[in-house]
Amino acid sequence: MKEAELANQIKELKDRVEKTRSLINLDKSKIEIKQLESQMSAPDFWADQDRAKTVSQRLAALGAEIKKWDDLTAAIEELGEIVGLDQKDQEVSLRVETEERLAALEKEFVDMEFLVLFDGKYDTANAVVAIHARAGGVDAQDWVEILLRMLMRFCENKGFAVKVLSESRGAEAGIKSIFFEVIGRYAYGYLKSENGVHRLVRISPFDAEKMRHTSFALVEIIPELEEVGDIEIKDEDLRIDVYRAGGHGGQSVNTTDSAVRIVHLPTGITVTCQNERSQRQNKETAMKVLKSKLHQYYQTEIEEERQVLRGEFTEAAWGNQARSYVIHPYKMVKDHRTGYETSDTDSVLNGDLQPFVESYLKHLKNGV
């Protein structure tokens, strides 16, 4: 490659990086960093350990993201300076090394450019995930456990922390429902593509006759909101039940009435938390999640009213599945919203959801 052509490619990459930096608004992130640092300097900052941990994690995530963009920009500028030198006497091997370095930086940028798709209001927030068994009996409960493993592995690959809040296991096998928090920058942005009904078609391992069964599970993804100013919850609208926790909470949890279930009577929304150390912590966590769920509930209600007025509303039903997974008689995973599909069911169920995430975000961005 000639020096002029190489220099032009480096300039084009630099321009693309600068444009993308402005689109993801790193200046806003820098302002937030200063605000978080101010909070951490307060004398009583560590009095609330949970709050302090959340702030510290967000500060670290923001700092890491900005550093990554700064390092990429610096590397491109350094490469540009090298190419700008008189290279007539430079060895061919050095020129090849420069080209390889440029290719590596371009690949790195493409991976980071993906963040442009996260333009939703809550895409940078933590996520709260619930998976519920629906039609299919024991197979559906087993399907919930498979989906849980799939999402857990995806979160692990993204570096997200996962905290189980409550779990109800099936008597014979699998999980009836599970509720967990995913902590990490862009957690909601990455996971919102999983919201909806997931259908599995396979030979049932619980059927002695080895018949093909169809199972359904509902996955709920909501952003975890720190402050929900427009949500007012009246005490008389709540029913709060305290009971003895079960599952994997540890001895101190299982021997005390520490689990908390909060029911919002006007909407019927129920939130359960049993895996915190104390009843107070379980109640605080459940209330925080309830506010997030109510916020989403009212936002969805408003949007559905708008769709009704436009004649576009379609009631959510089994026919409106988010995704289907077929393991028998053939292999296919298909997202019914975007049309994206793959025959590599094993990779998907092992947490390779990136293509589905990308196609869904592009689907939202393009409005199709």
Side-chain angles (χ1 to χ4, degrees):
M1 185 184 298
K2 295 181 179 180
E3 287 77 7
E5 184 180 351
L6 189 58
N8 187 53
Q9 287 191 11
I10 293 173
K11 183 181 182 302
E12 288 179 357
L13 178 59
K14 183 180 179 181
D15 291 343
R16 289 170 61 196
V17 169
E18 289 177 352
K19 182 179 178 181
T20 304
R21 285 181 66 120
S22 65
L23 288 173
I24 62 176
N25 204 347
L26 290 182
D27 289 339
K28 183 179 178 181
S29 297
K30 291 177 181 178
I31 293 173
E32 186 177 353
I33 284 178
K34 290 182 179 179
Q35 293 172 340
L36 294 174
E37 288 175 339
S38 177
Q39 292 181 36
M40 293 184 69
S41 64
D44 60 345
F45 175 73
W46 292 102
D48 186 339
Q49 293 287 326
D50 289 337
R51 171 65 179 167
K53 184 178 179 181
T54 300
V55 171
S56 300
Q57 288 175 336
R58 183 160 183 82
L59 179 61
L62 286 169
E65 182 179 343
I66 290 174
K67 184 179 184 303
K68 196 171 182 180
W69 281 102
D70 287 345
D71 289 347
L72 176 62
T73 301
I76 294 171
E77 290 177 347
E78 181 182 352
L79 198 62
E81 291 173 0
I82 293 174
V83 174
L85 297 175
D86 185 2
Q87 297 190 21
K88 290 181 179 179
D89 297 328
Q90 290 185 13
E91 296 180 2
V92 174
S93 60
L94 180 59
R95 203 170 303 167
V96 171
E97 182 181 334
T98 303
E99 293 174 7
E100 291 175 348
R101 178 59 179 152
L102 174 61
L105 290 174
E106 286 177 336
K107 183 180 184 305
E108 184 179 350
F109 168 67
V110 168
D111 293 339
M112 294 167 64
E113 191 181 24
F114 182 77
L115 298 179
V116 174
L117 294 175
F118 294 125
D119 57 358
K121 186 175 181 180
Y122 306 112
D123 283 354
T124 61
N126 294 338
V128 177
V129 181
I131 313 176
H132 309 280
R134 289 296 186 253
V138 178
D139 277 284
Q141 293 172 184
D142 187 54
W143 178 219
V144 168
E145 192 155 26
I146 294 171
L147 286 172
L148 174 64
R149 184 186 64 184
M150 178 185 79
L151 292 176
M152 289 286 193
R153 290 186 176 179
F154 177 73
C155 291
E156 180 183 353
N157 291 337
K158 293 299 177 186
F160 299 147
V162 176
K163 181 179 180 183
V164 175
L165 301 177
S166 67
E167 178 182 0
S168 175
R169 300 197 68 87
E172 182 178 343
I175 299 172
K176 292 181 180 178
S177 65
I178 188 164
F179 187 48
F180 59 95
E181 178 184 29
V182 181
I183 304 166
R185 187 159 169 80
Y186 297 108
Y188 177 69
Y190 272 106
L191 288 169
K192 66 183 181 182
S193 61
E194 303 310 296
N195 192 67
V197 175
H198 294 240
R199 179 173 68 99
L200 173 68
V201 180
R202 65 171 178 174
I203 298 295
S204 171
F206 306 100
D207 188 335
E209 298 181 2
K210 302 299 179 184
M211 299 291 289
R212 191 171 68 202
H213 284 238
T214 300
S215 310
F216 296 90
L218 173 65
V219 178
E220 295 180 290
I221 312 287
I222 63 172
E224 183 182 82
L225 307 179
E226 289 299 318
E227 299 292 338
V228 189
D230 56 342
I231 298 295
E232 180 184 357
I233 302 178
K234 299 177 182 178
D235 291 341
E236 59 265 29
D237 288 342
L238 299 179
R239 188 182 79 233
I240 302 177
D241 303 321
V242 178
Y243 60 97
R244 183 160 296 180
H248 306 289
Q251 290 183 341
S252 62
V253 171
N254 290 328
T255 56
T256 60
D257 292 333
S258 61
V260 174
R261 179 190 298 112
I262 301 179
V263 181
H264 185 252
L265 299 175
T267 62
I269 293 174
T270 302
V271 176
T272 302
C273 186
Q274 67 184 41
N275 283 12
E276 298 287 4
R277 293 189 181 90
S278 69
Q279 183 185 125
R280 178 187 64 80
Q281 289 177 311
N282 280 322
K283 183 178 178 181
E284 289 176 353
T285 301
M287 281 298 296
K288 182 173 69 172
V289 173
L290 176 61
K291 288 181 179 179
S292 295
K293 294 195 77 169
L294 281 173
H295 179 78
Q296 185 189 49
Y297 174 87
Y298 292 129
Q299 291 296 315
T300 301
E301 193 176 56
I302 291 171
E303 180 57 29
E304 287 179 354
E305 288 177 359
R306 289 173 180 166
Q307 291 178 358
V308 168
L309 291 174
R310 293 196 302 258
E312 300 173 354
F313 178 67
T314 303
E315 183 181 358
W318 292 119
N320 300 318
Q321 297 140 26
R323 194 175 300 152
S324 293
Y325 306 70
V326 181
I327 299 178
H328 185 85
Y330 54 89
K331 291 182 179 292
M332 184 189 71
V333 181
K334 180 174 181 177
D335 194 295
H336 299 285
R337 299 159 301 185
T338 66
Y340 180 83
E341 63 182 65
T342 177
S343 61
D344 191 358
T345 56
D346 291 340
S347 292
V348 175
L349 294 176
N350 278 312
D352 184 12
L353 299 174
Q354 187 69 21
F356 288 94
V357 172
E358 186 171 345
S359 64
Y360 181 75
L361 292 174
K362 290 179 178 177
H363 164 77
L364 291 180
K365 201 171 187 68
N366 296 331
V368 294

